[in-house]
Amino acid sequence: MASTGQRIALPGRAAVWLGWAFVERQTNLWKRYWAWELVWLVYGVVNTLAITFIAKQVDQAGLAGGQSVSSLVLFLLLGTLVWAYLSAVLDDVSLVVTWERWEGTIEHTLMAPVPRWVHLMGMAVFGVLHAVVRTLLIFAIALPFFSVELGQANWLAAALVIAVGSVSVAGLGILAGVLPLIYPERGTQMSFMLQALILLVSGVYYSVDVLPAWLRIFSVVSPATYILNGIRGAIIDGKGPADLAGNLLTLALFGAVLVPGGIAVFGMAERWAKKTGQLKRQG
Amino acid sequence: MNEQPLVVSGVSKYFGGGFSARRLLPWKGRDGAGRREPVQVLRDVSFDVRRREIYGVIGANGSGKSTLIRILSTLLLPDAGQVRAFGLDVVQDAGAVRALINRVSADPSFFRNMSALENLLFFGRVYGLSPGDIRRKLPDILARLGFEFEKAREPMSHLSRGQQQKIAVARSFLTAPVLMLLDEPTTGLDPRSKRDVQAFIRRVQLEHDATIVLTTHDMAEAEELCDRIAFIAGGRIVAEGTPLALRQRVADGRPVEGIDMEDVFMELTGRSIQEDEVPAEVMASG
Ligand SMILES: Nc1ncnc2c1ncn2[C@@H]1O[C@H](COP(=O)(O)OP(=O)(O)OP(=O)(O)O)[C@@H](O)[C@H]1O
Ligand SMILES: [Mg+2]
């Protein structure tokens, strides 16, 4: 792929400036879709509450009590919040093509002199910022409903896990975004299916130990597994960055593979779409 | 940048074809083959455009104009042949070419719920312009196109089709491209807006040293704007020359001023501009 624009000498500042155009655009777009934002927020809150209430039910039914229930509440609360965060990043990044196709702007965006990696990074940065805001809101709204113990939490370690983990999720999002580029009709559904699979295998609402052995293979290769592990380690067990070094390293490795890999695959898919005329079929 | 703005040599493009598993089903495939026949929409197209020239491409619906424009704008890859813009290959050096060109397409294509201004800010910024630059340049561009600046703050979806098309023209000229690809830029505009846009194109050509490739179905527009015109039929360029030279080719002793350009087109392509182009492959086989 010597053709996707690497020939423009691009100093770091110019790349950031170009990439930021996408962050700004997505912000402008979302402003117009604030009603949807509200829908997702309500959905996120309800989802978080519903799942965490399961733990309360366990308490009231006398299945378990005391300490074990409050740790279950925290376990589930963190699971739903992290999932809200991850799915928001995945959604935003993987919509890179779908959205442009829907608006009819894809050709104009793809012919702009922006190297594809800068474009994709811009989308990823917006995705992460967007997801942070949304998740913090859900967290703030849901927190008063439960009495959870957060005194032991190591917030710095948690933030580190999210920061490092977001890179690999952005990589996954880019890979998922390739599908609508190759399959204009069904690609979006396929990337939602990919999300569902990640939800199943990564231990969002349960420990991955409960999965059948063959499914556990997938949880090993899902970066979400390590993000959830790391976050729970930091907040429930109060582990510090040093205790989570293994986790962080794995996540960094995922990021180092998935982001360049995703960008390369995107480049190949773009080339194929331009060869076969799949970019857009009208006009 | 002393190289020629555009050199197109031997470009061909096919669509379709490739493997289709469905065709293998006994009741689908005609000869049991899994391959569909590709359709050739561009056939060995060659021409070049000189500096500051407005080069017109005229052809019936489906004759391959937009396909050609897309190849020139790095949005489609040719199956054969080569295109060089200012000496750069549009496939190999796509990134560098993109910085030099821009395109207006027949459908305006914007983020519908963003305002015209937000759209223009985005599409300008990805060409490296700063928001300040864009805000400075816009009022003048919009005024020349006869577009009220205040309207630019409204969501794109509130604008009429003609107004959207003017924003599309503004978007592409905002980035001051040295090679401009205009695919039916005035389709859907009322007569007055059409004139605004045509005058604007002329002016940009004169003042900004831009080279322009223009497709249109409007013969009067082609004559008025273009220095040279190519007639394309069935994906092939069948005639090329200045409007006058094209008239002379069919004049046959008549005074050239009296000949309608539309008749010239019909005579040289063997069909009318309103007639749809039959896909080349179908034509060849039946
Ligand atoms: N992406 C694509 N995939 C498959 N076929 C395509 C694609 N783009 C164009 N075609 C086919 O190629 C032929 C030429 O299309 P093109 O859009 O270039 O025509 P045009 O000259 O621009 O027509 P119009 O005047 O209607 O805009 C048509 O038969 C069209 O169906
Ligand atoms: Mg067309």
Side-chain angles (χ1 to χ4, degrees):
Chain A
M1 281 305 302
S3 63
T4 11
Q6 293 91 328
R7 297 223 177 182
I8 320 175
L10 207 62
R13 258 190 55 189
V16 170
W17 186 242
L18 273 179
W20 193 254
F22 289 89
V23 177
E24 207 173 81
R25 178 194 76 185
Q26 292 304 98
T27 313
N28 282 332
L29 266 179
W30 268 111
K31 272 196 317 216
R32 311 285 165 172
Y33 291 96
W34 62 269
W36 275 110
E37 190 59 59
L38 202 63
V39 169
W40 292 125
L41 186 66
V42 170
Y43 177 84
V45 169
V46 168
N47 202 29
T48 304
L49 293 182
I51 286 164
T52 317
F53 274 129
I54 295 174
K56 282 209 158 173
Q57 160 75 20
V58 169
D59 186 22
Q60 275 172 10
L63 296 171
Q67 194 52 44
S68 62
V69 167
S70 78
S71 77
L72 182 59
V73 167
L74 194 53
F75 183 93
L76 288 177
L77 183 64
L78 290 176
T80 42
L81 287 174
V82 171
W83 183 246
Y85 176 80
L86 296 182
S87 55
V89 178
L90 271 179
D91 269 353
D92 274 350
V93 182
S94 66
L95 279 176
V96 58
V97 168
T98 312
W99 202 322
E100 305 253 7
R101 258 226 182 89
W102 181 54
E103 299 267 15
T105 48
I106 186 163
E107 289 194 325
H108 284 276
T109 302
L110 291 190
M111 72 175 278
V114 180
R116 199 58 60 226
W117 67 269
V118 173
H119 173 187
L120 294 169
M121 286 299 104
M123 296 297 288
V125 167
F126 173 80
V128 169
L129 293 178
H130 184 202
V132 165
V133 172
R134 191 193 283 170
T135 311
L136 285 178
L137 271 173
I138 298 177
F139 185 52
I141 298 172
L143 206 55
F145 286 83
F146 310 99
S147 56
V148 284
E149 182 53 57
L150 292 172
Q152 76 290 355
N154 188 327
W155 295 105
L156 175 70
L160 258 174
V161 171
I162 284 290
V164 179
S166 296
V167 179
S168 54
V169 178
L172 266 187
I174 292 170
L175 275 175
V178 170
L179 292 168
L181 190 58
I182 331 183
Y183 303 103
E185 283 93 20
R186 294 170 302 271
T188 313
Q189 289 90 317
M190 288 161 84
S191 58
F192 280 123
M193 277 165 56
L194 185 73
Q195 267 192 46
L197 184 71
I198 296 174
L199 176 65
L200 179 70
V201 301
S202 307
V204 174
Y205 303 129
Y206 36 78
S207 155
V208 293
D209 300 331
V210 306
L211 291 173
W214 64 273
L215 265 181
R216 239 176 294 161
I217 300 169
F218 292 98
S219 44
V220 175
V221 295
S222 161
T225 310
Y226 303 91
I227 299 179
L228 284 154
N229 259 337
I231 289 286
R232 287 187 175 129
I235 293 185
I236 300 178
D237 308 326
K239 287 185 185 166
D243 307 309
L244 293 171
N247 232 310
L248 286 168
L249 202 67
T250 315
L251 282 173
L253 220 65
F254 266 109
V257 172
L258 284 173
V259 170
I263 291 170
V265 172
F266 196 97
M268 287 190 290
E270 184 179 339
R271 204 183 155 77
W272 179 84
K274 286 177 178 173
K275 192 82 191 167
T276 54
Q278 298 293 319
L279 226 46
K280 191 186 181 192
R281 287 160 150 244
Q282 65 196 59
Chain B
M1 238 194 302
N2 294 316
E3 306 254 8
Q4 198 153 359
L6 190 64
V7 180
V8 178
S9 26
V11 165
S12 291
K13 183 70 199 166
Y14 297 81
F15 281 121
F19 184 78
S20 156
R22 256 199 214 168
R23 282 297 198 93
L24 288 176
L25 298 172
W27 58 91
K28 296 263 185 190
R30 253 167 294 176
D31 9 78
R35 291 191 78 79
R36 283 168 293 184
E37 276 308 306
V39 177
Q40 186 168 13
V41 296
L42 287 180
R43 302 172 166 252
D44 195 20
V45 171
S46 301
F47 63 93
D48 44 56
V49 183
R50 299 170 205 137
R51 195 162 184 157
R52 298 184 96 182
E53 191 174 28
I54 300 186
Y55 187 89
V57 178
I58 295 180
N61 293 132
S63 54
K65 303 181 297 296
S66 298
T67 304
L68 177 64
I69 295 282
R70 285 199 171 93
I71 290 176
L72 307 184
S73 21
T74 77
L75 292 167
L76 272 178
L77 302 178
D79 292 316
Q82 200 188 37
V83 180
R84 291 192 160 270
F86 297 96
L88 298 163
D89 187 291
V90 295
V91 179
Q92 298 308 318
D93 314 309
V97 170
R98 284 177 197 144
L100 304 174
I101 63 172
N102 212 324
R103 157 177 171 262
V104 176
S105 52
D107 57 327
S109 50
F110 285 100
F111 292 89
R112 284 172 290 237
N113 286 300
M114 277 172 27
S115 72
L117 195 58
E118 285 167 344
N119 269 289
L120 290 169
L121 279 171
F122 168 69
F123 284 109
R125 285 194 62 170
V126 288
Y127 280 77
L129 296 175
S130 74
D133 284 343
I134 298 169
R135 282 176 204 276
R136 223 174 0 263
K137 283 171 109 179
L138 263 184
D140 177 54
I141 295 182
L142 292 181
R144 280 176 198 276
L145 287 167
F147 188 100
E148 235 180 282
F149 187 76
E150 273 315 301
K151 263 201 123 40
R153 297 185 196 284
E154 287 188 33
M156 219 51 213
S157 54
H158 290 189
L159 303 183
S160 75
R161 170 152 158 71
Q163 289 167 332
Q164 293 186 19
Q165 189 64 17
K166 285 186 177 179
I167 296 293
V169 173
R171 161 173 64 189
S172 53
F173 284 104
L174 183 64
T175 64
V178 279
L179 175 60
M180 189 61 171
L181 306 163
L182 305 175
D183 193 359
E184 300 186 36
T186 58
T187 296
L189 294 181
D190 66 50
R192 189 203 157 112
S193 300
K194 213 170 208 181
R195 286 208 176 193
D196 287 340
V197 171
Q198 288 166 354
F200 187 76
I201 294 171
R202 255 277 172 250
R203 198 185 82 108
V204 171
Q205 178 215 16
L206 293 177
E207 291 178 11
H208 296 275
D209 208 13
T211 305
I212 295 167
V213 178
L214 169 88
T215 82
T216 180
H217 289 291
D218 181 339
M219 288 295 172
E221 172 173 296
E223 274 216 273
E224 158 83 18
L225 287 178
C226 299
D227 301 304
R228 279 189 302 152
I229 293 174
F231 288 150
I232 184 169
R236 206 191 293 279
I237 291 188
V238 293
E240 185 199 55
T242 61
L244 183 64
L246 290 171
R247 273 163 199 252
Q248 280 165 345
R249 277 181 60 173
V250 301
D252 203 17
R254 287 177 291 172
V256 282
E257 307 83 54
I259 306 172
D260 190 22
M261 203 59 184
E262 219 153 296
D263 295 332
V264 179
F265 176 82
M266 299 226 269
E267 206 155 317
L268 290 175
T269 60
R271 63 199 86 196
S272 104
I273 187 87
Q274 278 89 15
E275 215 175 302
D276 262 25
E277 198 74 45
V278 184
E281 224 51 39
V282 179
M283 231 165 43
S285 63

